[in-house]
Amino acid sequence: MKFKDYYEVLGVKESASADEIKSAYRKLARKYHPDVSKETDAEERFKTVNEAYEALRDPEKRQAYDQLKRQGYRTGDDVPAGGFGGGGYDFDPSDMGSGGFSDFFEQLFGGARGGGRRSAPRKGRDLEMRLNLSLEAAHQGGKQRISFMRGGEQKTLEVKIPAGVPEGQQIRLSGQGEVGPNGAGDLILVIGLEPHPYYTLDGRNTQSKLMLAPWEAALGAEVPVQTLHGTLSLKIGAGARAGQKLRLKGKGFGVEQPGDHFAQIDIQAPAAETDAQRQAYLALAEQFPNLKLR
C-alpha cells in the first residue's frame, strides 16, 4: 500500500483546526468538481480531496491516521499491512458514509484490526448529484423537489435546504443511494449557485450596481437599493463618485449570519434627445469651464 498524506492533499498543516480543514475541503471541492472543472484530471483529484476530508473530518479517524503518520511515512512510501495495526481503532466500513476510496483508506479504516475481525458487508454505493439553486433560493433556504435515478428507476424527494447554504456545500441524504447487501448508501447533493443577473457574490457579501443620474451624484439623493433582504432606501451624499461603494451592513447573503451588501455607484448621463435638453447640457458645460477629465 502507498501512503497518502491527506494534509498535503488539502493543503493544510497537521495542526489545522476542524474549521480550517472544512474550509480547505470546500475550496478544493469547488475547484475540482467534474461538473465545473475543465482540468483533465479533475475527477481523480475530486475523489482524492473527498477521501482526504473523510479521513480528517472525523476525530477518531484523524487520530488513527495521525498515529500512522507519526511513524515517519511520507507520500508514496510503501506501508505494509502490519503498519496499520496497534492503533486500537476499529471502523466498520459500512459506517463510513462514502465509497470509491483508495486501498490505503480502506485498509486503514475498513480492514481487519488487531484480532483480525473481518469487514462487515458493505452498504450500497453512494450517489452524487449537483443541485443548482438560484441565489435567492440558497439565501432563503426552504424545500426543494429533486429527481434522480437509482437502480434504473427515477425517484423524487423533497429536500430541506438550510438558509445561506454556500456553493460546494454537500448535503447527505442517508439511505437514498444504491441498495447493497447491508443497506442502502447515501445520496450526496453538491450545491451549485446559478449566475445572477443583478448580484455578484463574494463569500457572504453581495454587490450590485447603483445607477445614478449626474444631478443625483452631484447634489445627493435618496434612492432605492435592491438586496436579498428586500428593497431598502439609501441616502447618497453630494459629490458621489463613479466606482464608489456604499455598504449596507448585514444585508448580504445569509439569514443567521449574513454578509454585507455593497452598492457600487455608476453614473449614467441620459442622451440629449431634444433641443431643450441639448441647451441644458451646454448651459451645464458653461458652468464648469475648468473641468478636466482627460
Side-chain angles (χ1 to χ4, degrees):
M1 301 293 174
K2 298 293 185 181
F3 181 82
K4 289 192 173 186
D5 191 327
Y6 290 136
Y7 293 103
E8 188 176 274
V9 169
L10 295 180
V12 297
K13 298 179 179 179
E14 293 180 35
S15 59
S17 67
D19 286 342
E20 289 172 331
I21 289 173
K22 189 174 186 179
S23 176
Y25 162 71
R26 286 181 175 176
K27 180 178 179 181
L28 293 172
R30 287 195 296 268
K31 179 178 180 181
Y32 294 120
H33 195 283
D35 288 348
V36 297
S37 178
K38 298 186 183 301
E39 298 191 30
T40 56
D41 59 348
E43 184 173 356
E44 188 61 33
R45 289 197 178 194
F46 183 72
K47 290 180 180 178
T48 302
V49 166
N50 276 332
E51 178 177 318
Y53 181 60
E54 185 68 26
L56 299 182
R57 72 185 179 93
D58 181 270
E60 287 188 274
K61 286 187 182 132
R62 184 176 180 181
Q63 185 176 355
Y65 173 75
D66 287 348
Q67 185 167 337
L68 176 65
K69 193 174 190 304
R70 282 195 291 270
Q71 297 180 33
Y73 290 107
R74 295 294 179 266
T75 299
D77 288 351
D78 289 320
V79 183
F84 291 88
Y89 296 94
D90 196 358
F91 297 99
D92 185 338
S94 67
D95 293 332
M96 290 190 295
S98 295
F101 290 154
S102 68
D103 290 344
F104 173 76
F105 183 97
E106 300 291 352
Q107 179 72 13
L108 180 56
F109 298 119
R113 305 299 264 177
R117 182 174 66 86
R118 296 176 62 86
S119 298
R122 291 188 177 279
K123 288 184 178 180
R125 181 173 63 89
D126 286 349
L127 299 177
E128 183 177 301
M129 67 171 287
R130 186 173 179 84
L131 178 59
N132 289 323
L133 301 174
S134 69
L135 195 58
E136 287 85 354
H139 165 72
Q140 296 171 359
K143 295 180 179 179
Q144 294 282 332
R145 291 183 69 84
I146 63 169
S147 295
F148 62 100
M149 299 299 295
R150 184 177 82 166
E153 297 182 358
Q154 182 170 321
K155 288 199 64 178
T156 300
L157 296 175
E158 190 170 69
V159 182
K160 185 177 181 180
I161 305 298
V165 61
E167 184 167 23
Q169 175 72 49
Q170 292 189 357
I171 299 175
R172 186 179 291 270
L173 304 178
S174 179
Q176 297 299 330
E178 296 286 1
V179 178
N182 195 38
D186 299 337
L187 173 64
I188 302 170
L189 301 180
V190 181
I191 299 298
L193 297 182
E194 298 171 347
H196 198 278
Y198 186 68
Y199 305 112
T200 56
L201 186 64
D202 180 14
R204 302 188 75 79
N205 295 331
T206 51
Q207 180 175 304
S208 64
K209 290 284 188 180
L210 179 59
M211 305 300 296
L212 297 180
W215 49 88
E216 290 177 322
L219 303 177
E222 188 167 342
V223 297
V225 177
Q226 184 179 340
T227 76
L228 289 171
H229 297 260
T231 301
L232 307 175
S233 182
L234 180 62
K235 289 185 177 180
I236 308 296
R241 306 180 307 279
Q244 182 180 355
K245 293 182 181 180
L246 304 177
R247 184 177 75 156
L248 286 80
K249 188 175 181 180
K251 300 303 179 182
F253 182 73
V255 176
E256 293 186 1
Q257 294 181 323
D260 299 332
H261 182 79
F262 293 87
Q264 183 172 359
I265 292 176
D266 196 356
I267 300 173
Q268 182 174 352
E273 298 178 348
T274 66
D275 286 340
Q277 290 171 347
R278 282 188 285 272
Q279 290 301 318
Y281 272 128
L282 290 173
L284 180 63
E286 290 176 358
Q287 295 299 317
F288 297 91
N290 297 322
L291 178 64
K292 294 182 179 181
L293 300 178
R294 293 165 292 278

